[in-house]
C-alpha cells in the first residue's frame, strides 16, 4: 500500500506541477482553467474527446471518494433522528431480471439523487467553477494530504522530539500549509474578480 500510494502521489504531483508551471510560464495569468478547450482550439477532435473521457473517469472516482462521507453522515444522522421511519431505515427487495434480488433503500436513492442533481445545477450556474474547485482543493490539500498523515506517522513511530526526521516532516507540513494558504488566497481573489462578470448558466 505504501509503495502504491508513493507511486500514485508522485505521478499526480509531476503531472499537476507540469500543467501548472508550464501553463503559467507560457500564458501567465491568461492560462485557461481547461487546457483542453480553453484556447478556442478543438482539433484534433479525437484527442480532445479522449482527454475529456479520461477526466470523466478521474472525476467519477474522485466524486465517489469525496461524496461517500457526506452520504454516510446524512444517512446515519437521519437513521438516528428517525429510527422508526420505514422510508429511511427499511430496504425493499427489487427483482432485477438475470441478476436476482437487489435490496434498495428508497431514502438513500432519493437523497443521493437529489444531492447529485443539486451539485450539477450549482456547477452549471457558476461560470467560474474552476475557482471554487481551486478553493476547495487548497482548503483540503494540507489537512487531508499532509497534516493528518504526517501526524499519524509521528504518533505511531514515536520519533524523538528533536530528531532530524521529525523536524523535516514538520517543516514539510508547514511549507505545504503555506502553499495551501497562498492557493486559497489566489482562488478567493479570482472569485472576487469573476463575481463582477457573473452570468448564470453562461
Amino acid at each position: 500500500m505504501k509503495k502504491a500510494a508513493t507511486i500514485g502521489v508522485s505521478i499526480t504531483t509531476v503531472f499537476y506541477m507540469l500543467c501548472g508551471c508550464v501553463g503559467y510560464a507560457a500564458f501567465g495569468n491568461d492560462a485557461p482553467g481547461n487546457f483542453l478547450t480553453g484556447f478556442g482550439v478543438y482539433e484534433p477532435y479525437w484527442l480532445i474527446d479522449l482527454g475529456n473521457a479520461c477526466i470523466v473517469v478521474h472525476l467519477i472516482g474522485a466524486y465517489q471518494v469525496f461524496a461517500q462521507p457526506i452520504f454516510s453522515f446524512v444517512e446515519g444522522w437521519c437513521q438516528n433522528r428517525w429510527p422508526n421511519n420505514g422510508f429511511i431505515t427499511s430496504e425493499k427487495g427489487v427483482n432485477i431480471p438475470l441478476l436476482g434480488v437487489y435490496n434498495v433503500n428508497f431514502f438513500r436513492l432519493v437523497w443521493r439523487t437529489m444531492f447529485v442533481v443539486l451539485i450539477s445545477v450549482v456547477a452549471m450556474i457558476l461560470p467560474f467553477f474552476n475557482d471554487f474547485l481551486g478553493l476547495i482543493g487548497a482548503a483540503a490539500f494540507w489537512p487531508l494530504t499532509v497534516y493528518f498523515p504526517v501526524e499519524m506517522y509521528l504518533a505511531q513511530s514515536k520519533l524523538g522530539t528533536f530528531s532530524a526526521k521529525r523536524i523535516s516532516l514538520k517543516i514539510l507540513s508547514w511549507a505545504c500549509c503555506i502553499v495551501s494558504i497562498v492557493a486559497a488566497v489566489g482562488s478567493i481573489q479570482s472569485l472576487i474578480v469573476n463575481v463582477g462578470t457573473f452570468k448564470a448558466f453562461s
Side-chain angles (χ1 to χ4, degrees):
M1 182 68 182
K2 182 179 178 182
K3 187 175 181 182
T6 302
I7 292 170
V9 170
S10 300
I11 291 171
T12 303
T13 302
V14 167
F15 278 112
Y16 283 168
M17 291 299 290
L18 280 173
C19 286
C21 294
V22 172
Y24 188 75
F27 304 105
N29 287 335
D30 295 327
N34 183 349
F35 271 10
L36 293 175
T37 58
F39 301 109
V41 177
Y42 300 98
E43 293 180 2
Y45 295 113
W46 67 269
L47 185 60
I48 301 296
D49 291 342
L50 177 65
N52 284 328
C54 291
I55 290 171
V56 167
V57 169
H58 166 72
L59 290 180
I60 287 172
Y63 188 81
Q64 291 302 316
V65 168
F66 284 106
Q68 287 304 322
I70 296 169
F71 293 155
S72 178
F73 171 77
V74 170
E75 290 159 10
W77 182 83
C78 289
Q79 286 178 356
N80 290 335
R81 181 83 167 91
W82 300 287
N84 298 323
N85 188 320
F87 178 71
I88 293 173
T89 58
S90 66
E91 293 188 354
K92 307 279 191 256
V94 176
N95 190 10
I96 300 174
L98 303 174
L99 296 176
V101 177
Y102 182 76
N103 292 325
V104 176
N105 179 298
F106 288 106
F107 168 70
R108 189 178 301 142
L109 178 68
V110 170
W111 144 244
R112 291 181 181 204
T113 303
M114 286 175 33
F115 181 83
V116 171
V117 168
L118 176 69
I119 295 300
S120 299
V121 169
V122 169
M124 289 187 294
I125 289 173
L126 301 174
F128 41 92
F129 195 63
N130 284 337
D131 300 327
F132 276 110
L133 288 179
L135 181 60
I136 292 167
F141 167 70
W142 178 68
L144 298 178
T145 308
V146 181
Y147 178 74
F148 289 127
V150 165
E151 291 301 318
M152 286 188 285
Y153 174 77
L154 292 176
Q156 286 181 341
S157 65
K158 300 191 181 358
L159 293 172
T161 305
F162 296 106
S163 67
K165 193 169 193 178
R166 183 182 193 91
I167 291 172
S168 62
L169 285 172
K170 288 289 190 177
I171 290 171
L172 172 70
S173 180
W174 281 106
C176 290
C177 178
I178 291 168
V179 168
S180 286
I181 291 169
V182 170
V185 168
S187 295
I188 291 169
Q189 186 269 343
S190 186
L191 280 169
I192 291 169
V193 168
N194 287 330
V195 164
T197 60
F198 173 74
K199 289 181 182 175
F201 295 103
S202 63

